[in-house]
Amino acid sequence: MSDQNQYLKSSKLIATHYGEEYEHYYNAIVPPVFMNSLNVFESLDDYYDFDRRDKHKYCYGRVQNPTVRILEDKIGALEHGVGALAYASGMAAATAAVLTVCRTGSHVICVRNAYGPLKSFLSGYAKEHMDITVTYVDGDCPEEFEENITDRTDLIILESPSSVVFSLQDIRSVSELAKKVNAKVYIDNTYCTPIYQQPLDLGADIVMHTTSKYIGGHSDVIGGMLAVKDEELFKKLLENRELFGGIVGPMEAWLMIRGLRTMEVRVARHQETAMAVAEFLEGHPKVRKVNYPGLPSHPQYELMKRQQQGNTGLLSFEIDGSAKEAEEVASRLSIFKIGVSWGGFESLVFLPHARTGEDECKKLRGSQNIIRIHCGLEGTEDLIADLESALAY
Ligand SMILES: *Cc1c(COP(=O)(O)O)cnc(C)c1O
């Protein structure tokens, strides 16, 4: 058997080779899609003694699958955790984490700039069906979390950087605080990918990724992951996934494994382009504000340098003009297509607050005219030229 530990030396080796046991697939350099729902056993004893953590034994596709397991081993290793679990979407992963950590009457502290559907789940379903209460905070300073902790606080939800206004939270300080009161820290790490931020090392308990973004990387797959550092929590999540039934399919897992192999080079290029675009926008007379954590003008630039090793391709800016003018800028772009997602090869533009009320915009700290763009892989010069012509009015 190959020595898997040799691949743990760097994230590049993990993304390319780790978790793959070539001798089990006739030395094919690309593991197959195990497109099976069932694995059979030699004997009943064999079935009843089977350990769900055993990498070489499988029983049923809702529980585990060998292709899914390769993906999980890679993400678990990239995040420096005891393991990771793959789900059918980012939201399936996020809700599984909340439903596993929280109980009836739990209190949750969540950053206001967290992913919208997760906030809807907390304030809607979780409140209605489980009496869960939520306090939303800006999250800029750890004191804000401390002030809002109650004796029922079980979960703190972070997203750093957030994906519209790119605000950061101090992961280490919030995690130290949470530990004292026995609350778990969950963080959406989709923006940074495991290449540029490893929150478990900073004290977080659960790292969430939607693999629909950079991990898939080609806008052809939906999936989610949770990585954890505690074996007990891992076991609970594994049990619950079997009960909730939200495991990702093997074909999707295979596409994510393929995406992972090139993720490091892709995000480096996304970052290089986004940085050039951010600098171009910052110098443009029609642009009032650029939100990109890689810019030294970002208010949390120092914190960014402490906890991240890089930034990726998503950023936002506000033009010196009305929301209507911002919509016109978006519609004049041609390489940047109008769309909500990001993390693929393609450049995108979206106005996340175009239909949001002024009061809510203030709370979210991004005005109605905020334009979010994803800098894809079409080439920096052409993307800047596209923006330049859309802003020439
Ligand atoms: C897209 C997204 C999600 C949700 O992921 P799905 O795979 O679409 O369920 C969660 N968090 C962030 C930051 C996202 O951009």
Side-chain angles (χ1 to χ4, degrees), residues 232-287:
E232 278 310 299
L233 182 56
F234 183 90
K235 284 207 180 109
K236 267 195 221 159
L237 287 165
L238 182 63
E239 267 172 43
N240 285 345
R241 188 180 64 178
E242 189 174 332
L243 300 178
F244 300 165
I247 193 171
V248 76
M251 187 67 222
E252 283 81 0
W254 186 88
L255 285 168
M256 292 163 202
I257 294 166
R258 182 166 74 168
L260 268 180
R261 293 191 215 287
T262 57
M263 186 168 71
E264 177 128 14
V265 284
R266 285 186 287 107
V267 293
R269 179 57 62 87
H270 284 292
Q271 167 169 245
E272 192 185 302
T273 300
M275 192 65 199
V277 165
E279 281 168 353
F280 161 77
L281 290 170
E282 200 163 49
H284 197 286
K286 293 226 174 71
V287 175

Side-chain angles (χ1 to χ4, degrees), residues 7 20 22 26 34 42 44 51 82 118 133 138-139 151 164 179 188 236 255 261 271 309 327 340 344 350 371 375 381:
Y7 296 133
E20 302 177 29
Y22 302 110
Y26 300 106
F34 282 88
E42 301 274 317
L44 269 179
D51 171 5
V82 293
L118 177 57
T133 54
D138 286 342
D151 55 3
V164 175
K179 203 163 178 208
D188 187 328
K236 267 195 221 159
L255 285 168
R261 293 191 215 287
Q271 167 169 245
Q309 293 96 53
E327 287 190 36
V340 286
F350 189 58
I371 300 175
C375 301
E381 273 179 37

